[in-house]
Amino acid sequence: MNTKQLTTKDIELAAGIIAGGGLLGIPTETVYGLGANGLDPRAVQSIFAAKGRPQDNPLILHIPGADWLEQYCQEIPAAARQLAGKFWPGPLTMILKRKDNVPDAVTAGLDTVGMRCPDCAVTRQVIAAAGVPIAAPSGNASGRPSPTTAAAMLEDMEGKIDAILDGGPCQVGVESTIIDLTVTPPRLLRPGGVTLEELEEVLGQVEVDEAVRRLMAPGEQPKAPGMKYRHYAPKAPVTVVKGPPEKTAEYILCHMGEKSGVICFDEFREGFSGYPVETLGPVVDQRAQARHIFEALRAFDRLEVTDIWAQSPADTGIGLAVTNRLNKAAGFRIIEL
Ligand code: TXA
Ligand code: MG
């Protein structure tokens, strides 16, 4: 299959691919997604095939506005409307009770469905023009870091999807926050672009699922099925070093090998000259760190490195999402100084 490259002018063409049961790479503010008609079980099945994704891992539905919620969800709590009012369009996915018209192929048989309204006008226009919600996981091959540019998505999906709509680089850089509103108190299943602190301001108490901060033991079931899989991992093993940035930089310099790669804050780049280095952004700029983390991980797959050492960002604010992705990429191999 020849994967067409579309621009933001090709809304009708893109909508036609969705309506016709095809696969379309879609830009969002978080990461690129691999979209298909969320009401067509066959189209949804082909997402799993293109990604090599396990069948028990449900997909989220993308809609152009909160007014579409009722078509696909029931028993919608007041909190959902409040959160949608405050954070949509934006990087928040809400788990709600589904209606019967949502195919099992989307929810992996669960009686709930993840709903998200992306902060990307062109993608909302494509959904509205297609007239159906778009089911879309992140546009990476299963297990690889999520793509934050069309080029990164093509590395994994060229020849496997009908087209990709290039909307430029993603502004957030880590996936949406997932909050389960079918339980009391609401539970954070995946940290993302909307922070835990922001959710607590609206919801009061929020429980954080165990899978956010630690490795699941064999047989343990996190509430978001996707959180149990090895994820985001580059080919070379990653070690995360946590502590004051001056100390972590020094530690890495002392312990790295001749062919090691480094992920560090901008301030420490020079200290690693001569080695392959990917920078996250300045120590204090957590939004920049979120934008760069996946590209940093992907970059090392284009180089020959034996292992990768990473300075750990702080885990407050959006840093909880960045450290979650980095720790997962490292299989939770973390050194605390
Ligand atoms: O930012 C994002 O959310 C991106 C863009 C493309 O929208 N999408 C994304 O999808 O990250 P994906 O499939 O890579 O991650 C969705 C996560 C998975 O961990 C999945 O297990 C979980 O959401 N999930 C989906 N439906 C669920 C449900 N009904 N209950 C619990 N977890 C669910
Ligand atoms: Mg994903």
Side-chain angles (χ1 to χ4, degrees):
M1 177 189 295
N2 177 25
T3 300
K4 284 200 205 81
Q5 299 195 36
L6 308 183
T7 72
T8 51
K9 294 196 180 105
D10 297 316
I11 290 170
E12 289 303 321
L13 205 62
I17 290 171
I18 294 293
L23 290 179
L24 176 72
I26 52 167
T28 82
E29 79 283 26
T30 58
V31 301
Y32 274 74
L34 205 181
N37 178 351
L39 301 181
D40 175 350
R42 275 188 44 182
V44 171
Q45 279 306 332
S46 61
I47 292 177
F48 287 85
K51 267 186 79 102
R53 181 176 174 108
Q55 296 284 343
D56 68 347
N57 195 0
L59 306 177
I60 60 190
L61 288 183
H62 297 69
I63 54 176
D67 51 334
W68 279 38
L69 276 178
E70 255 130 276
Q71 291 181 65
Y72 309 107
C73 303
Q74 49 187 331
E75 298 167 36
I76 302 169
R81 312 233 178 253
Q82 260 176 299
L83 290 176
K86 181 132 198 219
F87 299 113
W88 277 9
L92 180 70
T93 297
M94 301 192 283
I95 306 293
L96 296 165
K97 263 279 192 68
R98 69 150 157 162
K99 281 189 173 165
D100 288 342
N101 58 348
V102 179
D104 280 337
V106 169
T107 66
L110 298 175
D111 60 0
T112 57
V113 61
M115 302 296 296
R116 158 156 151 76
C117 174
D119 187 11
C120 178
V122 65
T123 290
R124 291 199 306 276
Q125 284 161 15
V126 171
I127 302 167
V132 292
I134 292 187
S138 49
N140 51 287
S142 199
R144 293 206 72 214
S146 301
T148 52
T149 61
M153 180 158 173
L154 281 172
E155 283 179 352
D156 290 13
M157 292 299 155
E158 177 111 60
K160 295 184 180 163
I161 59 177
D162 294 284
I164 182 164
L165 205 173
D166 192 340
C170 301
Q171 294 305 303
V172 175
V174 289
E175 300 90 340
S176 62
T177 302
I178 303 180
I179 182 96
D180 186 350
L181 296 177
T182 67
V183 293
T184 316
R187 184 185 287 238
L188 179 77
L189 303 186
R190 179 177 72 181
V194 171
T195 66
L196 175 59
E197 294 85 343
E198 286 173 316
L199 288 174
E200 283 169 340
E201 264 177 43
V202 177
L203 297 172
Q205 195 192 352
V206 175
E207 205 161 310
V208 178
D209 199 70
E210 298 256 306
V212 170
R213 291 200 171 101
R214 68 175 177 83
L215 188 63
M216 292 284 95
E220 245 182 321
Q221 285 295 346
K223 280 272 289 186
M227 293 291 274
K228 73 172 174 270
Y229 295 107
R230 183 165 182 271
H231 231 117
Y232 312 122
K235 288 171 201 140
V238 180
T239 304
V240 177
V241 188
K242 214 175 144 178
E246 288 74 21
K247 283 201 172 168
T248 57
E250 194 184 303
Y251 183 94
I252 292 171
L253 264 175
C254 289
H255 290 82
M256 66 192 296
E258 247 171 67
K259 295 203 158 170
S260 299
V262 179
I263 296 175
C264 69
F265 301 115
D266 290 4
E267 292 89 336
F268 298 91
R269 171 186 263 280
E270 265 177 37
F272 295 107
S273 65
Y275 294 100
V277 177
E278 288 294 319
T279 50
L280 289 175
V283 172
V284 294
D285 190 347
Q286 291 186 301
R287 293 272 155 191
Q289 293 159 22
R291 271 197 305 277
H292 294 132
I293 185 66
F294 282 134
E295 197 42 43
L297 290 166
R298 273 183 175 261
F300 289 109
D301 281 349
R302 303 175 200 125
L303 302 168
E304 291 291 318
V305 295
T306 50
D307 54 355
I308 300 163
W309 294 79
Q311 287 188 290
S312 179
D315 64 1
T316 50
I318 199 171
L320 184 62
V322 181
T323 52
N324 167 263
R325 308 307 190 270
L326 186 57
N327 293 344
K328 291 190 76 161
F332 286 85
R333 195 186 358 261
I334 304 168
I335 292 167
E336 287 211 49
L337 301 181

